[in-house]
Amino acid sequence: MGGYYNGQAVGVPYLNGAKHNMIRGRDCFFPPFYKVGDYWTRWAGKPNNSVSLLMLKWDTAEIYNWHYECARDGWEPRSLTYRFADELHDGRTIVPIENYVHNPAPIDGGEPFIRGSEGIQFEYSTGSLLVTNTDSGHEGWVTTEVTLPPGDYELRVNVVSINSTYGTPQGPIISIAAGDTTLNTAPYAGNNLIHHCSFTLPRRRKIQLRLHANVPTGAPSAASRFNHIMCMNTEAWAQLDMLGLVWFDANTVSDPIYQEE
């Protein structure tokens, strides 16, 4: 997070000359830099069928040199001072962060996913997508398509869970394809983890974002559950990471996470 102390960028603010974790302070509680209510989110077009956008409500110039004090009986007041960096997102003057996935939650009634083979089934449940593959020993996936300008991108998807009764998924858990060419893949790394898959487009292309349920050889079926499907360019991801956010769509924003450098 881009706080400043004596003109130097720091990951967390300073308290009495030392780095301080705002979330875990024992003697008094300091609020985080931003709360979920500090953001505007909206759809660029039809809900669950268009790009979702994230902007800060705050103009950074209004909160420079913000100062906070706390004290306990018999103790000297302790103060915390920081200011925000100029390059932090200002929803009024800077292009918002864009997630190109049109149905990122995902939900039934949003832009539909496409089956990758006859053996694939999928269903929506409380903002997640369950993908089941009944083709024994085969790869299977669902896709959602987006058209992107040239540039560097990353797909990030939360793998909520897999059905591991018949073993760990073989092959990728998420992947990127353009036509018949696979651009990159990411293997399964665990439940409730954001999985990352980066790729580069030399020209404007329509690409497929794939969510896999790959059946181990000899197993009768496999199932994977996904949510928080996000595809953004690397600059947008850097800004989101700097803000301590993991995901967003036009209706919700993840709780900010702040860590010491």
Side-chain angles (χ1 to χ4, degrees):
M1 182 61 196
Y4 270 67
Y5 178 71
N6 287 341
Q8 300 297 316
V10 295
V12 292
Y14 274 66
L15 176 65
N16 291 344
K19 282 187 178 181
H20 180 73
N21 188 321
M22 299 179 79
I23 304 297
R24 299 178 181 174
R26 292 179 298 174
D27 297 329
C28 61
F29 175 78
F30 294 101
F33 287 103
Y34 291 116
K35 300 182 180 68
V36 172
D38 295 329
Y39 296 96
W40 278 313
T41 58
R42 65 180 178 87
W43 298 107
K46 186 177 179 181
N48 303 302
N49 286 268
S50 64
V51 171
S52 50
L53 308 173
L54 173 73
M55 296 173 285
L56 281 177
K57 292 179 182 179
W58 296 69
D59 182 338
T60 54
E62 295 178 355
I63 50 178
Y64 278 4
N65 302 317
W66 185 84
H67 186 80
Y68 192 89
E69 290 189 359
C70 70
R72 295 187 301 173
D73 291 342
W75 292 65
E76 293 182 2
R78 301 196 302 170
S79 64
L80 173 75
T81 303
Y82 67 85
R83 74 177 182 86
F84 291 98
D86 293 336
E87 64 269 24
L88 288 183
H89 250 8
D90 169 3
R92 281 172 272 187
T93 60
I94 300 178
V95 175
I97 299 175
E98 294 183 72
N99 175 20
Y100 291 101
V101 178
H102 291 183
N103 188 7
I107 67 167
D108 193 9
E111 182 170 294
F113 286 76
I114 304 168
R115 292 177 175 84
S117 69
E118 290 297 324
I120 289 293
Q121 303 168 0
F122 64 91
E123 60 182 285
Y124 301 92
S125 176
T126 61
S128 66
L129 182 69
L130 177 65
V131 181
T132 302
N133 184 357
T134 60
D135 282 348
S136 177
H138 289 78
E139 285 194 356
W141 59 79
V142 297
T143 68
T144 182
E145 293 184 335
V146 296
T147 300
L148 301 173
D152 296 321
Y153 296 89
E154 188 170 72
L155 170 67
R156 297 187 189 180
V157 182
N158 184 49
V159 178
V160 179
S161 62
I162 62 159
N163 181 346
S164 57
T165 302
Y166 304 108
T168 301
Q170 304 298 302
I173 193 72
I174 60 174
S175 66
I176 307 292
D180 295 329
T181 302
T182 298
L183 303 181
N184 202 2
T185 67
Y188 172 71
N191 289 349
N192 288 313
L193 291 177
I194 301 293
H195 290 61
H196 301 234
C197 192
S198 59
F199 61 101
T200 298
L201 297 178
R203 60 182 176 85
R204 184 178 179 85
R205 291 293 303 271
K206 177 183 286 187
I207 62 167
Q208 297 92 47
L209 312 177
R210 295 174 172 174
L211 310 179
H212 289 250
N214 292 338
V215 181
T217 301
S221 64
S224 306
R225 186 179 295 277
F226 305 91
N227 64 7
H228 306 322
I229 306 164
M230 297 187 63
C231 181
M232 305 198 302
N233 62 42
T234 53
E235 292 84 0
W237 278 119
Q239 293 176 66
L240 199 74
D241 292 341
M242 181 175 63
L243 293 169
L245 301 177
V246 178
W247 55 266
F248 73 91
D249 59 32
N251 300 311
T252 54
V253 181
S254 65
D255 289 330
I257 299 173
Y258 304 108
Q259 298 177 345
E260 295 193 30
E261 290 184 333

